């Protein structure tokens, strides 16, 4: 997953600018949820440190 592709997908359902997106992304890095790996060109690859289903389950609001 590249950060640019995720940004474009995010904009389809959230009105978010690049600065805000990068602030949120950097927060995920600082908390240890994702790693940013330099990609080809200017892009960065986002790698989850944990199983995606586990992360999504923890992020859901309780019923």
């Amino acid at each position: 997953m590249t950060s640019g592709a995720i940004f474009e997908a995010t904009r389809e359902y959230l009105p978010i600018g690049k600065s805000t997106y990068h602030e949120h992304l950097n927060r995920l890095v600082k908390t240890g949820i994702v790693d940013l790996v330099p990609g080809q060109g200017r892009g960065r690859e986002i790698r989850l440190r944990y199983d995606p289903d586990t992360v999504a389950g923890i992020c859901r609001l309780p019923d």
Side-chain angles (χ1 to χ4, degrees):
M1 300 181 287
T2 64
S3 63
I6 292 174
F7 173 70
E8 291 302 322
T10 301
R11 292 191 68 196
E12 291 178 11
Y13 61 92
L14 285 176
I16 190 170
K18 280 190 175 186
S19 295
T20 303
Y21 168 75
H22 286 290
E23 287 173 11
H24 289 289
L25 184 57
N26 287 328
R27 237 182 258 146
L28 292 172
V29 171
K30 287 179 185 177
T31 58
I33 296 173
V34 300
D35 288 319
L36 293 179
V37 180
Q40 295 182 4
R42 295 182 55 198
R44 296 182 290 177
E45 182 179 337
I46 300 172
R47 293 187 187 164
L48 288 174
R49 286 188 173 186
Y50 304 97
D51 176 65
D53 293 329
T54 303
V55 173
I58 291 170
C59 292
R60 281 191 199 100
L61 293 173
D63 293 331

